[in-house]
Amino acid sequence: MNTIGVILAGGASRRMGQDKALLTISQSTMLTRTYKLLLETSVSKVVISRNDGEAGHFPDLYPGKGPLSGIHSAAMRFPNKNLLILPIDLPLIDVSTIQRLLDSGEKFSRNVRFGEHSLPLYLRNTETTRQTLDYTLRCTNSFSVDRFCTHFPLMKLQLRQQSPLFNSNTPEQWRFAMQHFETSECSVPTEVRHGTC
């Protein structure tokens, strides 16, 4: 079973105040940039989980239940594919970081993430995975990706620098992340490296 890339871009972006998927880096939206990054890895194709009615985008089967609902929708729609899941709000993510996650998942046939970061995630899309996702969304009040991962063997990779996983959910976090692209050096601001913003 090969792996597809899944972009989670269905959130309401309430803290950002505008659609995170449409924020731009170097004249490219986050949605386009994330899509292109995944295409540069060895996934077989890239799909987009997004509740906007656009052709080619697939909506949540259980709306309003966060990223786990997007993961569930991808797992159900592509039952014969493992999933390399990337959220839309990682502006500093790079191809080598994503590929490392993919390589580890495929090599060891395990669910894989970086340390305590619940996303990005390599997810083996088994029947048990789909049943657990469906049960969690229908019959519980806990829609945490982190908690869902505790149901399966999980491999945790370590990163020397945490900056590729810097999460931008607010305008302040976004401005800090954008300093990375505005400077001539490829250094990330201290606040970004340590997540103190």
Side-chain angles (χ1 to χ4, degrees), residues 2-6 35 38-39 42-47 78 81:
N2 61 17
T3 304
I4 62 172
V6 179
Y35 188 89
L38 278 168
L39 283 180
S42 57
V43 296
S44 59
K45 72 174 183 175
V46 180
V47 299
F78 304 97
K81 306 290 185 182

Side-chain angles (χ1 to χ4, degrees), residues 1-185:
M1 181 167 20
N2 61 17
T3 304
I4 62 172
V6 179
I7 301 173
L8 297 181
S13 303
R14 291 186 187 91
R15 285 183 286 168
M16 184 63 74
Q18 58 182 306
D19 192 340
K20 288 183 287 187
L22 302 181
L23 293 171
T24 59
I25 297 175
S26 302
Q27 299 182 330
S28 179
T29 67
M30 278 295 294
L31 188 59
T32 299
R33 182 177 186 274
T34 306
Y35 188 89
K36 288 179 177 178
L37 285 173
L38 278 168
L39 283 180
E40 290 185 46
T41 71
S42 57
V43 296
S44 59
K45 72 174 183 175
V46 180
V47 299
I48 298 171
S49 168
R50 186 160 167 79
N51 302 301
D52 61 358
E54 291 271 337
H57 298 176
F58 60 88
D60 295 347
L61 298 175
Y62 297 119
K65 298 189 176 182
L68 197 66
S69 189
I71 294 171
H72 167 264
S73 294
M76 293 299 183
R77 283 180 169 84
F78 304 97
N80 299 315
K81 306 290 185 182
N82 289 323
L83 310 177
L84 180 63
I85 303 157
L86 198 61
I88 198 64
D89 51 12
L90 299 178
L92 305 185
I93 196 74
D94 55 76
V95 173
S96 62
T97 301
I98 304 168
Q99 186 66 51
R100 185 180 168 207
L101 195 68
L102 175 58
D103 289 343
S104 298
E106 293 186 335
K107 179 178 180 180
F108 297 105
S109 295
R110 299 269 301 274
N111 295 340
V112 186
R113 72 183 191 190
F114 289 106
E116 300 308 312
H117 296 269
S118 57
L119 293 169
L121 174 69
Y122 178 89
L123 184 66
R124 295 182 65 246
N125 190 9
T126 66
E127 181 65 29
T128 302
T129 299
R130 293 188 293 277
Q131 289 176 353
T132 305
L133 281 164
D134 197 66
Y135 174 83
T136 300
L137 292 167
R138 284 190 303 107
C139 305
T140 77
N141 293 316
S142 175
F143 311 133
S144 161
V145 175
D146 191 56
R147 184 163 183 180
F148 165 75
C149 287
T150 65
H151 295 290
F152 305 94
L154 182 67
M155 183 177 181
K156 297 181 181 181
L157 304 179
Q158 298 303 316
L159 281 176
R160 272 181 255 168
Q161 290 190 336
Q162 295 299 310
S163 55
L165 301 185
F166 178 72
N167 197 273
S168 292
N169 283 312
T170 68
E172 292 76 20
Q173 290 171 338
W174 179 256
R175 283 194 292 271
F176 275 120
M178 289 309 95
Q179 291 180 38
H180 173 77
F181 298 95
E182 293 166 2
T183 58
S184 57
E185 300 177 3

